Amino acid sequence: MQTRRNFLGKLFGGLTLALIGLKSGLAWAKKMALKLDKVPKLKKVGGAMTIKLAGQEVILIRESDSTVRGLSPICSHQECRVAYNPKKRNIQCSCHGSAFDLKGNVLNGPATKPLKSYKTRLDGERIIISVD
């Protein structure tokens, strides 16, 4: 026969283990390494793609041989989606015409705030992305 104390002990013990597992999983998901051979769009300068990391979408743009940028795909004006324009080498919002440089700074409005940026770096043949 199970007592109330035993039941509550098992319940809270299970919840504690679940929370520890969830916390460690979230910590792992906040930093990701992508091998360049797995993301062919980012092998060449000018390539771009969107990934999901820790529940957040990130646009990755291969800016140069040694630089990859990570930015939010959500416009700071009215939260429309933005897209990378390789011909103009900027990020554009199709809803209201805002444009951003590759660092996320506003080039023209109506947006007045920059896009959220994420720490990214090239490490040999890997792209390291961090979400705070």
Side-chain angles (χ1 to χ4, degrees):
M1 182 165 150
Q2 187 166 343
T3 65
R4 184 175 174 184
R5 180 179 289 191
N6 288 342
F7 172 77
L8 290 174
K10 290 178 184 177
L11 176 67
F12 288 116
L15 286 173
T16 301
L17 288 175
L19 288 173
I20 290 169
L22 180 62
K23 185 176 179 183
S24 65
L26 287 175
W28 173 82
K30 289 185 177 186
K31 193 171 195 178
M32 175 185 257
L34 293 173
K35 291 184 178 181
L36 283 175
D37 62 348
K38 301 288 184 189
V39 286
K41 291 180 180 179
L42 297 174
K43 280 188 158 191
K44 292 184 180 180
V45 173
M49 66 180 290
T50 301
I51 64 163
K52 195 164 195 173
L53 179 60
Q56 299 177 51
E57 285 188 288
V58 179
I59 296 175
L60 295 174
I61 302 163
R62 182 72 182 260
E63 184 178 19
S64 71
D65 287 332
S66 61
T67 309
V68 173
R69 297 282 180 184
L71 298 164
S72 170
I74 306 301
C75 183
S76 59
H77 175 236
Q78 288 191 346
E79 299 185 1
C80 290
R81 293 190 65 81
V82 298
Y84 174 61
N85 183 329
K87 290 181 183 175
K88 293 187 177 183
R89 293 186 43 87
N90 70 10
I91 296 130
Q92 297 178 327
C93 179
S94 61
C95 291
H96 303 107
S98 293
F100 304 86
D101 67 16
L102 296 184
K103 292 181 181 179
N105 298 314
V106 177
L107 294 173
N108 61 283
T112 58
K113 296 179 183 176
L115 295 175
K116 182 175 180 175
S117 65
Y118 298 94
K119 266 190 194 177
T120 57
R121 65 182 171 89
L122 279 174
D123 181 23
E125 289 296 308
R126 299 181 313 159
I127 301 168
I128 310 295
I129 308 119
S130 300
V131 177
D132 296 330

